[in-house]
Amino acid sequence: MPFPAPMPITADDDAIRAALDQAVLPPLLPALAHATGDLSLLRPELRPDPLLLGDPTGGLTPAQESAIRALALDVLIRYRDGGCRLAPAPSHADLEEIMAFAVGGLPMGEYVPLLAEELSITGEDLRAPGWRADEVAPGVAFRVAIIGAGMSGLLAAYRLQQVGIPFVIVEKNDEVGGTWWENTYPGCRVDNPNHLYSYSFAQKDDWPQHYSTQEALFEYFRAFADEHDLRRHVRFDTEVRSVTFDDATSTWALQVRSADGSEETIEANAVVSAVGQLNRPLMPDIPGIDTFEGPWFHSARWDHGVDLRGKRVAVIGTGASAAQFIPIVAEEAGELLVFQRTPNWLGPTPDYHEDVSDGLRWLYTHVPFYSQWHRFWIFWRTADGVLPGVTVDPAWEPRDRSVSPLNEEIRVLMAMYLELEFADRPDLLAKVMPSYPPAAKRVIRDNGVWARTLKRDDVQLLTEGIAEVTPRGVRTVDGQEHPVDVIVYGTGFQASHFLEPMRVTGRGGVDLHQQWGGDARAYLGVTVPGFPNLFCLYGPNTNIVINGSIIYFSECGVRYILGLLRLVLEGGHRAVDVRRDVHDAFNERVDAQNRMMAWGASAVNSWYKSASGRVSQNWPFTLLEYWQWTKAPDPADYALLD
């Protein structure tokens, strides 16, 4: 079951009332309408607004909240006293009405089939393949090599296992989990609520926190691999050096190196690259990095053997990872120097470090469909629902601080948050206030900890540019040297360097990285012309900016890949190669739309862009469109090789 079946309600009225006091209210009435079939519960005067920035209540007033709790209490008592019997499954029209209520009255017809999958409303895995290789191509030998045993690689393996296609996973680490195994820096956690950052078909209602830590997420993926017996397919401590296509046989050869230095070749009919975008640390181009005489390391390769207690520590970078570990380092270090190049917009998130309360956990486990509708509430208010707020209005001027009237409203609200947080420190406010449009760079979640940290007496925020690293510390462009004992680089990843450092050679001996020329492109983020049966997950232009969950993109991508493999097997072909004109037209459309988004219109520095300035990471359309375009491959988009 995608979600655990709800436990029967046996609690007394007071216990139910106490749990409702801790409820996230916007998804509550949709869940009860779904469970009881009583759509009259969806009262217009109690409808939330999911797009109010930073407001998890959806703008509900105290009077509305009281009314919702009273209504829910009555419904749950009757549900309990009636034997906890559920109404028949809602019709398409009923689901549309429930969804429309949850999103503030917008039409939702197109979203119903997508969200029926995403929420697993029927209790089934609606994204399961529904076919078997031995049925569509009996007796045909076909093997897939998956590179990477992180979230996407495990997902691809699970789906291949369902269709009965043999596979091997090549993993450079000695454990599964990908980024959630590698990143062990203090404070590491997801910045997406866990009700959304999890497989649609493998949900949990007992996450310990709203935004889980690295340890909890690693355990989730580790348990998934164990439950589905995927570990036996993994070649651990093995790195892929090169991937080469054989034109004569339409197969791939993977040259791999084990931890002991030995090399061998793995042959496969298809290759799935699940290496991710954020897995190769980026060291900044600062003169003298290697001359520093004290300990230094990148946050993604945290050196836990270095004791920071009482030390004078420099942190270079203030991006998403740094914003998580800097407050913890500040608690340990004797003095902390934070070197900031560009300030970040902060997204107010009061529950960012909070445990899920007992009452809310009780609601998740006892109120039918509450977890699913909470997942929907997060889906809408952090993804498609806010897309208009980061889209360029061509008539809006100037665009240096915002890109539309709605984006300006967001900017004003975010600026007010910073002004409130730093009201007693105008010197810091001037340093932390961004001058670029919201969403042009990644927005950092914050529950007040950033301001509290920077205002500490033992923390300095330095915004002068760095001239060089010296043997003793960091020298800024004003000529001042800042002596430190330890340097930590929170400078992100080589996000634009897709599939590196592997050498990938396609048809006719073409080198993939030469073909890309520094600007990675793929059709739907999955396929590249001239590289048959090579499939990317978290590939070019499949990153999400205003949140949503990358797991969603991987689930869509894996289904699309399996659809392509079915085309190959069912038709008696050997491989599938995307047409160049289809690929190029798609990427022209992506580029045009990215220029119409805050992150494409702004000139601010960002890891969203390649060295040429092209946005090579981000998906500029709706999540609905990606689902529609990847639900099944169009054979006309591809050449089938025999």
Side-chain angles (χ1 to χ4, degrees):
M1 293 287 287
F3 277 91
M7 299 174 64
I9 296 178
T10 58
D12 61 26
D13 296 3
D14 288 341
I16 298 174
R17 184 181 292 107
L20 289 170
D21 284 342
Q22 300 174 24
V24 177
L25 290 177
L28 187 56
L29 292 182
L32 294 175
H34 182 168
T36 64
D38 181 5
L39 271 59
S40 71
L41 296 171
L42 308 175
R43 300 179 182 179
E45 69 273 15
L46 300 179
R47 189 167 60 198
D49 182 348
L51 303 187
L52 289 177
L53 182 70
D55 186 353
T57 71
L60 296 170
T61 66
Q64 289 173 311
E65 292 179 341
S66 295
I68 291 172
R69 287 190 174 97
L71 190 57
L73 177 63
D74 179 64
V75 171
L76 290 176
I77 289 172
R78 287 189 282 112
Y79 170 75
R80 177 198 64 195
D81 295 345
C84 299
R85 289 191 292 272
L86 295 174
S91 65
H92 184 288
D94 288 347
L95 277 177
E96 183 176 356
E97 184 173 345
I98 298 172
M99 288 178 185
F101 175 86
V103 302
L106 297 175
M108 293 297 291
E110 285 188 297
Y111 280 86
V112 172
L114 158 61
L115 290 164
E117 287 182 7
E118 185 66 20
L119 307 183
S120 297
I121 283 175
T122 64
E124 302 173 89
D125 177 5
L126 296 179
R127 289 184 181 148
W131 60 278
R132 293 278 305 175
D134 55 6
E135 295 173 352
V136 302
V140 175
F142 198 92
R143 189 189 193 204
V144 176
I146 301 169
I147 307 174
M151 176 275 294
S152 296
L154 293 175
L155 172 64
Y158 174 66
R159 293 305 195 196
L160 287 169
Q161 186 168 266
Q162 286 182 309
V163 299
I165 293 178
F167 61 90
V168 60
I169 307 174
V170 184
E171 170 55 55
K172 70 180 187 299
N173 297 322
D174 60 2
E175 186 50 279
V176 301
T179 190
W180 299 113
W181 169 249
E182 294 176 353
N183 285 271
T184 61
Y185 60 82
C188 181
R189 67 177 59 234
V190 70
D191 61 2
N192 200 284
N194 265 122
H195 261 70
L196 193 59
Y197 192 85
S198 42
Y199 297 130
S200 66
F201 56 90
Q203 287 295 299
K204 280 165 54 77
D205 54 22
D206 60 349
W207 291 105
Q209 295 186 315
H210 300 280
Y211 297 83
S212 286
T213 62
Q214 173 264 332
E215 294 89 348
L217 289 162
F218 165 65
E219 176 58 27
Y220 173 78
F221 293 113
R222 185 205 61 76
F224 179 82
D226 290 343
E227 178 182 354
H228 299 290
D229 197 22
L230 301 178
R231 192 180 295 271
R232 64 188 176 91
H233 298 279
V234 184
R235 291 278 305 272
F236 289 110
D237 291 315
T238 304
E239 186 166 13
V240 176
R241 308 285 290 173
S242 67
V243 185
T244 305
F245 185 74
D246 187 317
D247 292 89
T249 62
S250 293
T251 58
W252 287 93
L254 288 74
Q255 194 71 23
V256 302
R257 177 181 292 175
S258 299
D260 62 6
S262 62
E263 296 193 1
E264 65 176 293
T265 300
I266 296 175
E267 295 185 352
N269 301 90
V271 177
V272 175
S273 170
V275 298
Q277 293 183 15
L278 306 178
N279 70 328
R280 296 282 173 178
L282 173 66
M283 292 301 297
D285 185 16
I286 300 174
I289 281 182
D290 293 330
T291 68
F292 182 63
E293 294 175 351
W296 58 277
F297 51 86
H298 191 281
S299 62
R301 302 292 184 265
W302 197 274
D303 189 342
H304 293 277
V306 176
D307 187 356
L308 301 181
R309 288 176 297 180
K311 301 290 179 57
R312 184 173 164 92
V313 179
V315 172
I316 297 176
T318 55
S321 298
Q324 291 178 340
F325 69 74
I326 282 174
I328 297 176
V329 171
E331 295 284 345
E332 298 181 12
E335 188 174 359
L336 175 62
L337 282 64
V338 178
F339 291 85
Q340 171 188 278
R341 179 175 61 171
T342 309
N344 299 297
W345 286 114
L346 304 181
T349 310
D351 60 354
Y352 189 42
H353 293 130
E354 304 237 339
D355 293 340
V356 177
S357 67
D358 291 340
L360 186 55
R361 194 183 306 278
W362 184 91
L363 294 170
Y364 287 151
T365 56
H366 289 83
V367 177
F369 307 111
Y370 183 57
S371 278
Q372 288 96 320
W373 284 102
H374 190 199
R375 182 177 172 93
F376 171 75
W377 169 250
I378 298 167
F379 174 95
W380 188 256
R381 67 190 296 265
T382 63
D384 283 9
V386 294
L387 200 61
V390 297
T391 302
V392 172
D393 179 349
W396 181 255
E397 293 291 347
R399 292 186 194 164
D400 56 339
R401 297 201 313 167
S402 58
V403 298
S404 71
L406 185 53
N407 190 244
E408 173 65 12
E409 290 182 27
I410 295 172
R411 189 198 67 78
V412 169
L413 288 171
M414 286 185 163
M416 288 174 60
Y417 176 72
L418 287 170
E419 289 165 355
L420 180 64
E421 289 289 300
F422 291 92
D424 57 339
R425 290 291 303 273
D427 58 319
L428 284 175
L429 178 61
K431 293 181 176 182
V432 301
M433 182 66 73
S435 59
Y436 55 86
K441 288 173 66 74
R442 186 172 180 175
V443 175
I444 306 298
R445 290 196 178 274
D446 179 64
N447 57 2
V449 69
W450 189 240
R452 290 195 300 273
T453 300
L454 296 186
K455 288 190 284 188
R456 292 173 58 113
D457 292 338
D458 54 3
V459 174
Q460 296 182 54
L461 178 63
L462 303 171
T463 56
E464 295 80 10
I466 296 175
E468 63 176 331
V469 175
T470 70
R472 297 176 61 244
V474 179
R475 179 175 286 115
T476 47
V477 293
D478 58 4
Q480 183 176 356
E481 184 176 26
H482 303 271
V484 294
D485 302 308
V486 182
I487 301 177
V488 181
Y489 292 92
T491 47
F493 298 87
Q494 302 176 47
S496 297
H497 296 201
F498 291 86
L499 276 68
E500 292 187 8
M502 294 182 294
R503 181 179 180 183
V504 183
T505 306
R507 297 175 74 177
V510 173
D511 181 276
L512 176 64
H513 299 297
Q514 290 181 4
Q515 176 171 304
W516 277 342
D519 275 326
R521 302 172 187 266
Y523 180 53
L524 297 171
V526 178
T527 53
V528 182
F531 295 82
N533 282 10
L534 174 67
F535 309 115
C536 300
L537 293 172
Y538 202 4
N541 292 112
T542 59
N543 183 64
I544 55 328
V545 179
I546 47 176
N547 257 331
S549 169
I550 189 57
I551 294 180
Y552 170 89
F553 273 82
S554 290
E555 288 196 38
C556 292
V558 167
R559 175 161 61 185
Y560 186 77
I561 291 169
L562 262 65
L564 289 171
L565 294 181
R566 182 172 184 174
L567 277 179
V568 170
L569 292 170
E570 205 165 35
H573 309 291
R574 290 191 296 180
V576 61
D577 192 5
V578 65
R579 288 169 41 192
R580 188 170 296 276
D581 61 326
V582 171
H583 167 276
D584 292 351
F586 168 78
N587 277 278
E588 288 175 9
R589 186 177 178 187
V590 166
D591 289 348
Q593 188 61 30
N594 265 323
R595 289 191 291 270
M596 294 301 296
M597 311 308 291
W599 51 83
S602 174
V604 69
N605 59 287
S606 165
W607 64 264
Y608 299 154
K609 300 175 182 178
S610 66
S612 71
R614 175 182 179 265
V615 178
S616 56
Q617 273 71 34
N618 296 350
W619 178 253
F621 306 107
T622 64
L623 299 191
L624 173 65
E625 287 169 299
Y626 195 71
W627 177 81
Q628 290 171 331
W629 298 343
T630 58
K631 191 172 183 181
D634 183 349
D637 292 342
Y638 288 87
L640 291 160
L641 308 184
D642 296 323

